[in-house]
Amino acid sequence: MSAKSGHHHRWTRKHLLGLQELSADEIRFVLDTADSFKEVSTRSVKKVPALRGRVMVNLFFEDSTRTRTSFALAAQRLSADIIDFSQKTSSVNKGETLIDTARNIEAMGIDIIVVRHPAGGAAELLSRHVKCSVVNAGDGAHEHPTQGLLDLYTIRERFGKIAGLKVAIVGDIANSRVARSNLWGLKKLGAEVILVGPPTLLPRAFEQLGARVVYDFDEVVGEVDVINMLRVQFERIKTSQFPSVREFTRLFGLTGDRFKRCKKDVFVMHPGPMNRGIEISSEIADGAQSGILTQVTNGLAVRMAGLYLVSQASD
Amino acid sequence: MRTQYDQADVKRVIDQLEGKVAAAFAVDRPLCVIGIRTRGETLAKRLIEGLKKRGFNLIEHGVLDITLYRDDLSEIGPGPMVRPTHVDFDIDGIPLLLVDDVLFTGRSVRAGLNALIDFGRPSVVRLAVLVDRGGREVPIQADFVGLALNDVPVGHRVNVHFSEDDGEDEILVEPRE
């Protein structure tokens, strides 16, 4: 089992916007709460009445399958009612559209808005304009807190701790909200974070956030405990920033060859959806040291914890 | 009104409770004993120890966290810690003893019963409490009571302390802070 913090800390945040603003104690509180929620999914009746009568809306302005589904199932297991509201937005008029839309939805009597939006800061902006709770499901390249938390949870579950571990996050760092949320959380809990990618997708500025920045994957591949492979986000990348797909795989992919040089107990993660054969080889993704499906399972428990905690804080 | 019961008192009360429980169940049949966190869990462990000495060898032991089933969350403030529930066995068709430290309004037991339903259908559910202090707000009564306190003022709390959780065994009747 994971180490309990043992603190009599209380959760008081009405919104879950990012890991940057959370303290180490608050992060541990969410992870400990998620531990309790994980058990619910093992029961014959996989449901608790904690959020009975509450309404959650999935407000997604970007494509998502697993995050939206995971939030929906998490809410259902807490007995909340769910509304799905997904729409592509134009980049013009973003702020206005977002707030107007949210206020309209809120007027129907919503308790929690789970929002994904292509603009960084969208969730925080929204939280200042609505009365209900806001949970950030990804805002631009800024943060994806529940993904960060589920990654932390999965690492803690695997190693029994986070402090002292060396974690490599590999790929398109510049465009990745997953990388940023992971970086904040891992640093706060005492891990060493190594960011790996081509210079065009990995600004040196990340060193100021406490990460080690490395442009040669092979330089660190043998020393890390965890490798978190990011998805190559073709839709976000300007072609000039990106070598050819083959070259990317050769330099930054987790290939079978590179995997042989890893620590024996290295733990491989990926936030999904994977580009098999590009950033990660299929054998590794499906292999014994892959935590990829465990991440998905744990994501449910972490999102249950997040939804539950923000609801209690807004009472 | 007596306001303090020490270690020897607590031991006597638990022994009496254990005797009542032992007399009500068959020694050679399966029995589930499930404590409600936190003091009910400790009391359940002590009862099981005693029952085993009396020859009960088919006891399954579980722990119930009722936070997610409570109806008074908004009254106890934000962010109470949700702790794991452990009922890692099949409770269908088997007698089940639910254990809590103090029976007051009955709302915790109501929440515990709701939680149990999600795990299966025991043949019977009985309730054992260390202290019944009266003051029920729902129609729930205990089957086995260690100590019945009939004159605790409404503004007072009955606090059960166990050495495992609190350093020593005692029952205190105290004004609510």
Side-chain angles (χ1 to χ4, degrees), chain A residues 2-310:
Chain A
S2 42
K4 295 282 185 235
S5 63
H7 300 290
H8 293 285
H9 194 88
R10 294 209 143 196
W11 181 268
T12 54
R13 289 181 190 271
K14 189 179 161 185
H15 310 295
L16 180 55
L17 303 174
L19 295 195
Q20 183 177 2
E21 65 180 13
L22 298 185
S23 69
D25 274 346
E26 284 176 310
I27 292 172
R28 281 190 281 262
F29 192 87
V30 182
L31 302 185
D32 289 348
T33 305
D35 252 347
S36 305
F37 279 109
K38 200 170 180 188
E39 179 271 331
V40 173
S41 297
T42 67
R43 300 181 186 181
S44 57
V45 178
K46 298 172 180 52
K47 213 172 170 92
V48 290
L51 296 192
R52 205 156 53 100
R54 309 285 177 107
V55 185
M56 182 199 91
V57 60
N58 265 331
L59 182 59
F60 277 58
F61 295 95
E62 252 181 30
D63 285 337
S64 162
T65 309
R66 72 192 60 210
T67 303
R68 211 179 60 213
T69 309
S70 179
F71 269 111
L73 189 54
Q76 282 165 343
R77 294 211 163 155
L78 295 168
S79 305
D81 295 310
I82 297 153
I83 295 174
D84 208 3
F85 189 99
S86 301
Q87 106 180 7
K88 287 286 188 78
T89 182
S90 72
S91 55
V92 209
N93 239 347
K94 240 176 231 163
E96 196 183 350
T97 305
L98 170 67
I99 291 167
D100 277 349
T101 308
R103 279 187 172 155
N104 272 284
I105 290 173
E106 190 186 26
M108 297 178 206
I110 300 293
D111 301 288
I112 309 171
I113 295 177
V114 174
V115 64
R116 169 168 290 189
H117 198 280
E124 197 271 332
L125 175 72
L126 193 59
S127 74
R128 286 190 274 114
H129 287 89
V130 295
K131 292 185 196 73
C132 63
S133 289
V134 174
V135 175
N136 184 6
D139 58 333
H142 177 235
E143 283 232 39
H144 190 352
T146 57
Q147 180 71 44
L149 289 164
L150 78 87
D151 288 344
L152 293 170
Y153 184 93
T154 306
I155 294 170
R156 191 176 81 158
E157 186 181 59
R158 171 79 171 205
F159 292 93
K161 60 166 188 178
I162 287 175
L165 294 176
K166 276 191 188 184
V167 181
I169 304 173
V170 185
D172 172 12
I173 308 292
N175 291 297
S176 176
R177 52 194 174 213
V178 175
R180 282 176 183 75
S181 288
N182 263 275
L183 174 58
W184 291 118
L186 287 164
K187 290 299 293 176
K188 282 169 204 256
L189 296 191
E192 184 186 336
V193 180
I194 305 170
L195 301 176
V196 184
T200 47
L201 298 174
L202 175 48
R204 275 247 172 251
F206 275 98
E207 285 178 347
Q208 286 156 24
L209 305 181
R212 189 171 144 199
V213 168
V214 171
Y215 299 121
D216 179 1
F217 195 4
D218 292 317
E219 183 188 322
V220 295
V221 77
E223 62 176 277
V224 294
D225 304 293
V226 179
I227 299 178
N228 197 344
M229 297 302 301
L230 300 175
R231 181 173 69 92
V232 174
Q233 304 188 68
F234 294 105
E235 74 275 20
R236 285 185 212 276
I237 291 174
K238 303 184 197 85
T239 45
S240 61
Q241 295 178 311
F242 197 64
S244 72
V245 168
R246 260 183 66 190
E247 193 188 347
F248 184 91
T249 304
R250 191 172 60 79
L251 293 172
F252 299 103
L254 190 54
T255 58
D257 224 27
R258 205 162 261 134
F259 189 62
K260 283 181 200 144
R261 279 176 274 141
C262 288
K263 276 188 172 180
K264 277 203 179 62
D265 64 343
V266 71
F267 192 44
V268 178
M269 301 169 73
H270 191 299
M274 284 181 279
N275 300 301
R276 285 174 181 270
I278 296 178
E279 70 262 7
I280 187 166
S281 90
S282 269
E283 294 75 45
I284 299 167
D286 302 331
Q289 276 156 270
S290 164
I292 296 171
L293 290 179
T294 310
Q295 285 173 272
V296 178
T297 305
N298 289 343
L300 190 59
V302 165
R303 292 189 174 106
M304 286 171 79
L307 293 173
Y308 172 74
L309 291 174
V310 297

Side-chain angles (χ1 to χ4, degrees), chain B residues 33-44:
Chain B
V33 179
I34 294 186
I36 296 178
R37 279 195 196 278
T38 304
R39 303 296 181 283
E41 178 188 356
T42 308
L43 178 59

Side-chain angles (χ1 to χ4, degrees), chain B residues 7 10 42 46 161-170:
Chain B
Q7 187 173 351
V10 172
T42 308
R46 298 231 190 144
H161 293 159
F162 288 127
S163 57
E164 297 93 321
D165 307 306
D166 314 287
E168 58 187 324
D169 284 2
E170 58 185 353

Side-chain angles (χ1 to χ4, degrees), chain A residues 32 36 39 43 47 49 308, chain B residues 69 81-85 118-119:
Chain A
D32 289 348
S36 305
E39 179 271 331
R43 300 181 186 181
K47 213 172 170 92
Y308 172 74
Chain B
Y69 293 81
M81 188 73 212
V82 183
R83 301 178 60 213
T85 285
D118 292 345
F119 288 91

